[in-house]
Amino acid sequence: MKLLYILAAVLISAAAGAQQAPAPATPAGNAPAALPAVPRTSITAAEIADRISQAQAAFKAGTRYRGTPLLQSGPFRAGMEYHTVADTSYAVHETAAELFVVLDGSGTLSMGGTLVSPTTRHGTNLSAATAEGVIAVKLVKGDMALVPENTPHAITAVDGALVLMTLHMPVPPPAPPAAAPAPTPAP
């Protein structure tokens, strides 16, 4: 339920149309994407279409698309993933849930179960070549899928191309247990 409130807050923030700096240019080759200096809280359909065109051009040139986030504010970052083949490993984000929205194309997201022989990468993210007990979900343009924290997931099939908006949503740590009330003194 907290995730729905967080998602609603992010979407309301995006709808507010706060003033923003233009998106930085997409880095060349396989260089990591530079993060915007100013939070970006809205993006137009035309800008998203341009990003998809950039990703298609990068694929045709034999490089991976490494664009800047579509939206970013505080710990929330919405990115774009362009898939033409299935992932080679499953991922687990230990401290963040991930929302997928299909912008174009179709494919299969497999999630759930347990990683087989996981390795740590990038701090609190885990990966493994395989996972057991996953459920395959067919996704088409307009579909959404929410992967809770600590849940293995991977794109396991792509029908031509699959373009996703991904939103990583940090999950707050559990609240500490409440202290026991102090005993009342006897009268």
Side-chain angles (χ1 to χ4, degrees), residues 155-187:
I155 300 301
T156 53
V158 176
D159 306 318
L162 175 62
V163 184
L164 301 168
M165 186 280 301
T166 63
L167 177 64
H168 290 263
M169 300 174 290
V171 176
T184 327

Side-chain angles (χ1 to χ4, degrees), residues 6 70 79 82 91 93 109 113 115 123 129 131 152 154 160 170:
I6 292 170
L70 298 173
Y82 184 85
H93 310 300
L109 170 68
L115 293 179

Side-chain angles (χ1 to χ4, degrees), residues 52-96:
I52 293 172
S53 293
Q54 290 173 19
Q56 290 167 335
F59 169 71
K60 288 177 184 172
T63 61
R64 183 175 176 201
Y65 173 72
R66 304 281 295 190
T68 58
L70 298 173
L71 302 172
Q72 182 171 338
S73 181
F76 302 101
R77 185 191 70 216
M80 188 182 87
E81 294 182 7
Y82 184 85
H83 296 267
T84 56
V85 296
D87 291 338
T88 57
S89 64
Y90 283 81
V92 167
H93 310 300
E94 294 179 312
T95 59

Side-chain angles (χ1 to χ4, degrees), residues 12 19 34 36-37 41 43 48 55 57 67 91 106 108 111 114 142 150 157 169 175 177 187:
I12 290 168
Q19 200 171 30
T41 57
I43 189 167
I48 292 172
S106 62
T108 302
M111 62 180 171
T114 306
N150 288 310
M169 300 174 290

